[in-house]
Amino acid sequence: MASNLWSEDQFSCPVCLELLKDPVTTACGHNYCMGCIKNCWDQTDHTGVYSCPQCRKIFTPRPVLGRNTVLAEVVEKLKKTGLNPPPAQSYAGPGDVSCDVCTGRKFKAVKSCLTCQASYCETHIKPHYERAAFKRHKLINAIGDLEQKLCAEHQKVLEVFCRTDQTCICLLCTQDEHKSHDTVSAEKERTGKQKQLGETQTEIQQRIQERLKDVEELKQAVESLKRSAYIEIKESEKIFTELIRSIEKIHTEVIELIGANEKAAVNQAEGCMKKLEQEIAELRRRNAELKQLSETEDHIHFLQSFQSLCAPPEAGDLPSITVNTDISFGAVRKAVSELKDHIEDFCKGELVKITTTVNEVAVYSLQAPQPRNRAEFLKSKEKCEEEEEEMKNQPEPRRRNMSGCEASAEENKGETEKQEPVNEVAVYSLQAPEPRNRAEFLKYSCQLTLDPNTAYRELCLSEGNRKVTLRGETQRYRHHPERFDRYPQVLCKEGLSGTRCYWEIEWSGGGAVIGVTYKGISRKGGSRSCALGFNDKSWSLFCSGSSYFASHNNNETAITAPRSPRIGVYLDFNAGTLSFYGVSDTMTLLHRFQTTFNEPLYPGFRLDYHDSPVTIC
């Protein structure tokens, strides 16, 4: 019973939502705590307009309210019944929209009124459902920042969409600055946008399904790779165990062979020494008899024994002996060492083949996304045509004197001639072999385009930003922090890393610099930190009519080779090699840099001569 009474409006204050304290009744018949209604009206004292928070009835002047004693007695009786407080979950928490009418601890709003520009909890929203005066008010689910739903100029509800300016406006805006614009109701525009949104959602869902399929295929491929790798590791261990056993068997046989040879030689020598010792003992015995005979005084005995004792000793069965004092198995050790070297050389060669085979195993490959529909194809084509037309419409640039960059290049050349050239370092690599002919190089070809935001202001780009020429007139480029302001240089948009790339360049006229650089190369000023090849962030090849120069970090290497109007550039990022080739019927290696790349590389060019264009083939 108490809970039913609690739900009645006359026993709870519509402002604080608690039992009435010092209840008062307004002229429109609504009951409030005296403190709550006074607080509400105190906030509007500056306007002189006082209204009922529930029915919005306006009172002028401010009413004088007295305590409703009858209602106060009823409330006192209700307090004695021990009523339960409202549920805690109805209070507004972090992230919730709070009721604008509640005082003290606010309850969570369930609806927002665009007409009143206020949000209401379940209790304070009831008048909008029950009173006829609120029937035309526009209610929506509770949201914050209701001011964003109002026109900033007219403070009216935004309910019209201007297609001309692509913005939401109010009805007064349609009669003012948007009078001649294409306007529709927000609901109608929402319908059209909703269809577009649905198409986008469908495309996103399709992509999600495609990616989920890719993920599933990758998972299966990874599992297959793991199984295959596990089997191959076990089989390889088995093969290497057998190989180790074979080597251990050879090891045992060699040791046994040396031991057997040692034993046979020792036995033979010991037998010979035994016979020699017997012969020595016999000779010593006869020597003693001869000594005794020589000392006898009996002449007859001496003469009778002389014939038998003085006979020469028998030579015996032993041949003459020549002892080898330099006994050694060094030849055996040499043969074993040669066997080790042969095995190691063979294993190194086979390891290269094995590593190449292993490196060719890939779980996936990445390809640049292709246009999926006619609209994307046309968009790409129109962009290229617009850029080319923009270049054609620019005025013919005037001739100018030799740029200061040429003098700087000559100065740098003089200083670099004093330094030691960079030696090419040969590194043992387990990578797949480099391409051997142009057809194999072209398998790694990549598409490059020049970036107008980096181009020096007197460089003219054309042919879809694939050709650059140094002119004498400033081009109409916008200001950009990545633009070279002193050196006539330009970089490509594409950063290259983690793979093999190949591109070809055609040059003509006095010469050009072809190179690559990290994105962090300096762009402002005329110091060497900005010039391709004259700092630790870039590598370059200078092509002129009769010579070539490879440069990196102020080190320059002169190259003698026939003039080639087409240069091929081959980058193996992971192997750390950058190679320049003269392209004709054959590929002529001009220079190769060997280093370690740790950032994406951007192809770039420097033009020190007028009317000496460079074109990306």
Side-chain angles (χ1 to χ4, degrees):
M1 182 66 180
S3 60
N4 291 335
L5 292 174
W6 173 259
S7 63
E8 299 295 332
D9 292 343
Q10 62 267 32
F11 301 117
S12 60
C13 174
V15 176
C16 66
L17 301 181
E18 296 179 358
L19 279 177
L20 292 166
K21 299 175 184 178
D22 295 329
V24 296
T25 304
T26 61
C28 57
H30 293 110
N31 302 316
Y32 298 95
C33 297
M34 183 174 291
C36 291
I37 191 64
K38 281 186 176 181
N39 182 53
C40 289
W41 287 351
D42 287 344
Q43 296 177 12
T44 59
D45 268 340
H46 64 285
T47 63
V49 177
Y50 308 94
S51 61
C52 173
Q54 282 193 274
C55 66
R56 302 292 179 178
K57 183 174 181 180
I58 297 174
F59 306 105
T60 304
R62 177 171 177 167
V64 177
L65 300 175
R67 187 170 183 268
N68 189 330
T69 56
V70 176
L71 188 56
E73 292 177 359
V74 175
V75 171
E76 288 300 322
K77 291 181 180 179
L78 288 175
K79 288 181 179 179
K80 295 178 181 179
T81 62
L83 296 174
N84 294 323
Q89 61 267 24
S90 62
Y91 288 108
D96 292 332
V97 179
S98 58
C99 178
D100 291 325
V101 180
C102 293
T103 60
R105 187 178 180 185
K106 295 180 177 292
F107 285 92
K108 182 170 65 175
V110 295
K111 291 290 182 180
S112 295
C113 178
L114 295 180
T115 307
C116 300
Q117 285 298 300
S119 298
Y120 302 98
C121 61
E122 291 183 357
T123 300
H124 291 136
I125 194 61
K126 289 181 179 179
H128 279 75
Y129 296 134
E130 300 170 354
R131 311 294 182 187
F134 298 109
K135 293 299 183 181
R136 294 184 179 181
H137 286 204
K138 186 172 181 60
L139 295 177
I140 59 174
N141 290 331
I143 61 171
D145 299 330
L146 282 172
E147 292 183 356
Q148 295 183 0
K149 309 300 179 185
L150 292 178
C151 175
E153 182 176 355
H154 303 108
Q155 296 300 309
K156 297 294 183 181
V157 177
L158 299 174
E159 49 188 337
V160 180
F161 185 79
C162 177
R163 290 177 173 174
T164 304
D165 294 336
Q166 291 294 302
T167 185
C168 294
I169 59 176
C170 69
L171 287 174
L172 292 179
C173 291
T174 61
Q175 303 172 7
D176 196 359
E177 64 267 25
H178 296 269
K179 184 176 182 180
S180 59
H181 291 184
D182 180 13
T183 58
V184 294
S185 66
E187 183 179 358
K188 182 177 181 180
E189 184 66 18
R190 164 69 185 273
T191 303
K193 297 290 186 184
Q194 190 74 31
K195 181 180 179 182
Q196 183 179 350
L197 179 64
E199 294 174 353
T200 304
Q201 284 182 306
T202 302
E203 183 178 353
I204 291 175
Q205 291 171 359
Q206 182 180 356
R207 290 192 182 183
I208 291 173
Q209 295 302 319
E210 292 174 355
R211 289 310 186 191
L212 288 175
K213 182 180 178 182
D214 292 339
V215 169
E216 186 61 31
E217 290 177 352
L218 271 175
K219 287 182 180 178
Q220 295 177 2
V222 168
E223 291 301 322
S224 176
L225 178 67
K226 288 181 178 179
R227 290 193 299 269
S228 177
Y230 177 80
I231 294 172
E232 293 306 319
I233 289 173
K234 291 298 181 183
E235 291 298 321
S236 297
E237 289 178 348
K238 181 178 178 181
I239 294 172
F240 278 108
T241 300
E242 294 175 355
L243 178 61
I244 293 171
R245 287 176 181 172
S246 298
I247 294 175
E248 289 177 345
K249 183 179 179 181
I250 296 174
H251 171 223
T252 302
E253 291 177 353
V254 171
I255 299 301
E256 291 177 351
L257 179 62
I258 295 174
N261 186 278
E262 174 195 8
K263 185 176 181 180
V266 169
N267 289 339
Q268 185 178 5
E270 288 178 347
C272 183
M273 285 189 294
K274 185 176 182 180
K275 290 182 180 181
L276 288 173
E277 288 173 352
Q278 290 175 353
E279 183 178 351
I280 291 170
E282 179 63 23
L283 290 173
R284 285 177 176 173
R285 184 188 62 77
R286 287 189 63 185
N287 185 56
E289 290 178 350
L290 290 173
K291 182 180 179 182
Q292 183 180 4
L293 180 63
S294 66
E295 294 176 352
T296 185
E297 295 180 355
D298 186 351
H299 302 299
I300 298 301
H301 176 70
F302 178 86
L303 292 174
Q304 289 177 343
S305 301
F306 176 81
Q307 187 67 28
S308 60
L309 293 178
C310 288
E314 296 179 358
D317 297 332
L318 291 175
S320 61
I321 298 175
T322 302
V323 179
N324 181 11
T325 59
D326 188 19
I327 300 174
S328 173
F329 284 97
V332 177
R333 183 170 64 249
K334 181 180 179 182
V336 173
S337 179
E338 291 177 351
L339 174 63
K340 178 183 77 72
D341 293 340
H342 286 313
I343 292 176
E344 287 181 348
D345 291 341
F346 176 78
C347 289
K348 285 181 180 179
E350 292 303 311
L351 181 60
V352 173
K353 297 179 183 178
I354 293 171
T355 305
T356 301
T357 304
V358 172
N359 288 341
E360 290 176 352
V361 177
V363 177
Y364 67 92
S365 61
L366 295 177
Q367 298 180 353
Q370 299 293 327
R372 292 160 297 175
N373 50 52
R374 185 170 181 270
E376 292 187 1
F377 276 107
L378 292 176
K379 183 178 180 181
S380 177
K381 180 180 178 183
E382 288 175 359
K383 182 179 180 182
C384 293
E385 291 177 349
E386 288 175 0
E387 292 176 349
E388 185 172 359
E389 188 65 27
E390 181 181 354
M391 293 303 171
K392 290 180 179 178
N393 292 335
Q394 294 182 5
E396 185 67 23
R398 54 180 176 81
R399 303 285 293 182
R400 71 176 178 92
N401 295 329
M402 185 74 71
S403 69
C405 299
E406 291 180 1
S408 176
E410 289 299 322
E411 179 184 351
N412 294 342
K413 177 180 176 182
E415 293 190 11
T416 54
E417 286 176 350
K418 302 175 185 178
Q419 301 180 2
E420 292 291 334
V422 178
N423 294 326
E424 294 185 14
V425 181
V427 178
Y428 180 73
S429 174
L430 298 181
Q431 298 287 334
E434 284 193 355
R436 294 162 295 180
N437 52 55
R438 186 165 181 264
E440 292 183 2
F441 277 101
L442 289 175
K443 292 179 181 178
Y444 301 100
S445 62
C446 58
Q447 299 297 323
L448 300 176
T449 53
L450 300 172
D451 186 359
N453 291 331
T454 66
Y456 177 67
R457 291 190 176 276
E458 294 185 18
L459 292 179
C460 178
L461 307 185
S462 59
E463 295 185 9
N465 288 345
R466 286 179 285 110
K467 182 178 180 180
V468 55
T469 307
L470 178 61
R471 302 296 189 187
E473 184 174 291
T474 300
Q475 307 299 307
R476 294 182 295 177
Y477 295 131
R478 296 179 180 177
H479 173 74
H480 200 279
E482 295 184 0
R483 189 175 310 286
F484 293 97
D485 65 352
R486 291 285 299 277
Y487 280 88
Q489 297 181 156
V490 62
L491 303 183
C492 290
K493 294 180 179 180
E494 296 79 8
L496 309 177
S497 64
T499 183
R500 297 182 174 194
C501 301
Y502 175 75
W503 62 97
E504 292 183 353
I505 306 299
E506 284 188 350
W507 65 279
S508 60
V513 175
I514 302 169
V516 297
T517 179
Y518 292 149
K519 194 170 186 179
I521 188 173
S522 299
R523 314 297 176 97
K524 308 304 178 185
S527 67
R528 294 181 180 180
S529 62
C530 302
L532 290 173
F534 290 96
N535 48 70
D536 60 354
K537 293 182 174 60
S538 61
W539 297 257
S540 69
L541 179 73
F542 173 73
C543 308
S544 68
S546 58
S547 61
Y548 300 89
F549 292 93
S551 301
H552 170 63
N553 201 18
N554 276 329
N555 291 317
E556 193 171 71
T557 302
I559 303 165
T560 302
R563 176 187 175 96
S564 177
R566 178 173 287 220
I567 302 296
V569 186
Y570 175 71
L571 170 65
D572 190 338
F573 190 92
N574 293 330
T577 59
L578 176 68
S579 307
F580 295 87
Y581 292 85
V583 181
S584 57
D585 295 336
T586 59
M587 301 288 289
T588 303
L589 178 62
L590 301 175
H591 188 78
R592 175 181 290 118
F593 291 100
Q594 182 71 56
T595 184
T596 299
F597 300 119
N598 48 38
E599 295 180 28
L601 293 169
Y602 291 81
F605 311 94
R606 185 172 76 246
L607 282 68
D608 293 334
Y609 298 92
H610 293 86
D611 297 321
S612 297
V614 171
T615 304
I616 303 173
C617 301

